[in-house]
Amino acid sequence: MTKALSLRIARRRISATLALVLFGTGVLAHADDSRHQHDIHFWPGNLVLSRSVYDNKASNVQVGTILPVNCAHTTGGCGAASGAPYDGTYPYVWNNDLYDASFGITARIYLDQLTPDGHLIDSLQVPNSLLPTAPEGALVTSFSSKSELALHLSQDRKHLSFMGYVAPVNTLDVSNSNTPGAVDPTNPDGQSFYRAVATVDRKGHFSFTETNAYSGNNGRAAILLDRDGADYFFTAGNAGNGSNPQPAGVVLGAGTQFIAPAHLPEIAQLPGTSTPLASFSVTALGLKADKIGKDDNFRGMTVHDNVVYFTKGSGGNGVNTVYFVDTTGTACPNGVGVPVAGASLPKAPLAYDASTLQSNGLPTNMCILAGFPTTPAKTAKTLAYPFALWFADANTLYVADEGDGYVGGPDLYTHAAAQTTAGLQKWVYNSGSKTWSLAYTLQSGLNLGQAYTVSGYPTGTNAATDLPWSPATAGLRNLVGRVDRDGQVTIWATTSTVSGNGDVGADPNRLVAIRDALKNSSATTAAQEAFVTLRTASFAEVLRGVSFTPEQDADDRR
């Protein structure tokens, strides 16, 4: 038997196992892409996939428009006098990113309910300016912003949370705008829009909490803490799009936030000063300080065993690695360690000295998880790009790595295919040495660097980049997992891409799944496992976060 044939047989077996063992939920999959806001119910055992759809109108951008929006009223300045070179037609519109580094267009958000094998049941559109006015408010995402729309269940598992912008659909450059309460005059994007945290329950009821955090950039993930009397969000994101030093409001609104739910309609909310949850500086490692606030450029997050974890996987400052919040102050005197047994979750925002905020930044109360990279992005010879993370148990941590996103030349496909850390990393904990180590990285079936086609999407070469339009998988972004009764884990994840698009975040990407033996640490054994593709985004679509459905209240089961 040839190696290729063996691999095909293995993939068929894995696919069949996924279907027979995991997906026998008894839930009937319906093919309708429903938009009836009051007819949605999330059913136990299913998945929720966040999806954004671009409103493909040429009129969204007028050729020659000077960008970023309102740049003439900032000290950050405008782009070239010739203005935007492309109109709003998808996907050519994203070539404007080559002209305007702040470029983006707000788009509608959908929450798709899927069976675990990827079949669509129904779809819930998040309230927005194109729908009849919702009393609770509205929210959009920035199309092509690949780090947005992570989905997380609340601690009591009855609500899903995610983040977005309080802005109309089809608004330009919102993702790099200021927030109204934290305006940076050096930010060339001269607009102001609140960011907001959204929650939705199993009946499709939304609530929104506006915030001045993440001015100049974006909020990426949120988890609602709502057990044992708690009622607040932990969030992850990035801030700042201007010069150094950044205004105090921008520094305060970076990284990770402690946000109290508003419990009021958006129209009645008046967000105050940002309240940071935690911060990390490379000075904790004995290194020279970076630009204040830019070490806190976080993407993924999770809460496990009363500890909050974050990932950083982009930006030129800080360390690309996995972090945790140390509420004891004793876990890592030199910036690296493991959580103290029995540590409690944070219950209040981080205290700081306002008089030294812009010069010294926030105090460090985070640690790099022992065993993960500790070399700063500025000096590291090789970098990791961790995105989302999930603990299968206390000693097993899965980390999605999106890859380096290289699009620097005609070797973009071969470069993506040659990456060794992109994909799904499995880390195991050694209690004796109190450190984590990488067991292996799962890549088979992702087809890294192999171009694929999407109906209606252009092929050939993008004249703006002189590179091929067709996307190829480069790694993984958001994920969710569960431990099954047979000792296997199943993990669902959305993919990252590379292509010749002017902004690869606008590429139609995929939802994939894989099974892994929980107790296995052998790369040789893991080589028999492979991802299966459950869904590929359509033309003008992107797939972002994935989670399980919210659970029922006791009253719902009566």
Side-chain angles (χ1 to χ4, degrees):
M1 183 181 298
T2 66
K3 183 177 180 180
L5 180 58
S6 297
L7 182 58
R8 286 197 297 271
I9 292 173
R11 287 177 179 169
R12 290 188 189 122
R13 287 173 177 168
I14 291 170
S15 181
T17 302
L18 283 167
L20 293 175
V21 176
L22 297 170
F23 304 149
T25 63
V27 178
L28 180 63
H30 300 287
D32 61 310
D33 189 21
S34 173
R35 299 293 185 266
H36 300 294
Q37 301 299 103
H38 301 292
D39 296 336
I40 294 293
H41 284 78
F42 293 117
W43 301 104
N46 288 325
L47 300 174
V48 181
L49 177 70
S50 60
R51 171 174 57 96
S52 181
V53 178
Y54 173 61
D55 193 0
N56 186 20
K57 296 179 179 179
S59 59
N60 285 342
V61 184
Q62 183 176 351
V63 173
T65 299
I66 302 299
L67 296 172
V69 175
N70 208 31
C71 56
H73 292 87
T74 74
T75 61
C78 300
S82 57
Y86 292 85
D87 67 17
T89 304
Y90 180 87
Y92 308 94
V93 59
W94 309 114
N95 287 334
N96 286 313
D97 189 62
L98 304 172
Y99 157 74
D100 169 18
S102 299
F103 189 75
I105 304 178
T106 54
R108 292 164 291 171
I109 304 166
Y110 293 92
L111 302 178
D112 295 338
Q113 182 174 199
L114 311 174
T115 58
D117 57 351
H119 288 91
L120 178 67
I121 299 174
D122 49 30
S123 186
L124 176 62
Q125 186 173 177
V126 177
N128 59 70
S129 62
L130 300 183
L131 290 175
T133 302
E136 62 270 34
L139 200 73
V140 292
T141 188
S142 179
F143 198 90
S144 80
S145 187
K146 59 191 177 183
S147 58
E148 296 178 8
L149 292 185
L151 297 176
H152 288 282
L153 281 173
S154 59
Q155 286 290 282
D156 70 357
R157 303 184 66 85
K158 295 176 183 176
H159 296 85
L160 274 177
S161 298
F162 56 97
M163 293 199 71
Y165 307 90
V166 183
V169 175
N170 295 330
T171 306
L172 299 180
D173 292 352
V174 170
S175 62
N176 283 119
S177 67
N178 297 307
T179 53
V183 175
D184 182 353
T186 71
N187 181 357
D189 187 340
Q191 307 176 95
S192 295
F193 296 95
Y194 289 119
R195 280 56 170 164
V197 183
T199 63
V200 61
D201 63 18
R202 66 173 298 270
K203 294 183 178 180
H205 299 151
F206 286 95
S207 65
F208 303 102
T209 296
E210 296 181 344
T211 177
N212 277 304
Y214 307 119
S215 181
N217 216 286
N218 60 352
R220 295 162 176 173
I223 298 177
L224 175 61
L225 284 294
D226 54 1
R227 289 191 311 192
D228 303 323
D231 186 27
Y232 41 79
F233 297 104
F234 296 157
T235 68
N238 189 25
N241 193 43
S243 300
N244 197 26
Q246 299 178 114
V250 175
V251 177
L252 286 175
T256 173
Q257 299 289 303
F258 185 106
I259 300 175
H263 302 302
L264 290 170
E266 280 183 351
I267 195 171
Q269 297 178 32
L270 186 62
T273 303
S274 298
T275 49
L277 167 70
S279 181
F280 183 86
S281 169
V282 294
T283 58
L285 304 172
L287 302 169
K288 182 180 178 181
D290 282 330
K291 181 178 180 180
I292 300 300
K294 281 302 184 180
D295 290 354
D296 294 342
N297 177 2
F298 299 124
R299 288 197 165 184
M301 64 183 299
T302 193
V303 175
H304 176 74
D305 195 22
N306 277 344
V307 180
V308 194
Y309 295 84
F310 294 91
T311 63
K312 181 185 178 300
S314 64
N317 297 291
V319 183
N320 285 8
T321 194
V322 175
Y323 301 83
F324 66 95
V325 180
D326 175 26
T327 56
T328 69
T330 63
C332 42
N334 298 311
V336 180
V338 294
V340 175
S344 62
L345 279 168
K347 294 181 174 61
L350 175 65
Y352 62 92
D353 184 346
S355 67
T356 61
L357 183 64
Q358 287 182 277
S359 58
N360 298 336
L362 293 164
T364 291
N365 66 334
M366 302 178 73
C367 312
I368 294 176
L369 192 58
F372 283 83
T374 58
T375 306
K378 290 180 177 178
T379 57
K381 293 182 179 179
T382 58
L383 284 171
Y385 300 90
F387 208 102
L389 64 170
W390 172 67
F391 284 88
D393 60 25
N395 301 308
T396 312
L397 173 59
Y398 290 90
V399 178
D401 189 299
E402 69 168 340
D404 61 11
Y406 170 81
V407 289
D411 60 337
L412 80 165
Y413 294 148
T414 56
H415 181 96
Q419 295 181 102
T420 58
T421 59
L424 184 62
Q425 299 173 2
K426 183 176 187 177
W427 292 75
V428 295
Y429 182 61
N430 185 314
S431 59
S433 63
K434 293 186 177 181
T435 189
W436 291 81
S437 60
L438 178 63
Y440 47 81
T441 301
L442 296 168
Q443 295 181 328
S444 180
L446 288 178
N447 302 320
L448 297 179
Q450 296 183 27
Y452 56 88
T453 59
V454 175
S455 179
Y457 202 72
T459 56
T461 299
N462 180 359
T465 62
D466 200 29
L467 294 172
W469 275 108
S470 296
T473 297
L476 299 177
R477 290 185 184 134
N478 287 303
L479 61 78
V480 69
R482 73 181 181 198
V483 180
D484 301 308
R485 294 178 180 177
D486 60 357
Q488 301 280 313
V489 300
T490 304
I491 295 175
W492 295 262
T494 54
T495 62
S496 62
T497 61
V498 291
S499 74
N501 195 327
D503 186 339
V504 296
D507 291 334
N509 60 326
R510 291 171 164 173
L511 173 68
V512 297
I514 195 168
R515 301 197 83 215
D516 181 48
L518 175 60
K519 298 303 180 183
N520 176 52
S521 60
S522 166
T524 301
T525 301
Q528 305 302 313
E529 303 167 354
F531 286 90
V532 292
T533 297
L534 303 182
R535 186 175 181 183
T536 298
S538 301
F539 182 85
E541 271 188 353
V542 288
L543 312 179
R544 292 299 183 234
V546 60
S547 174
F548 294 114
T549 46
E551 295 181 357
Q552 296 175 325
D553 287 313
D555 291 342
D556 294 332
R557 293 191 290 267
R558 291 174 182 169

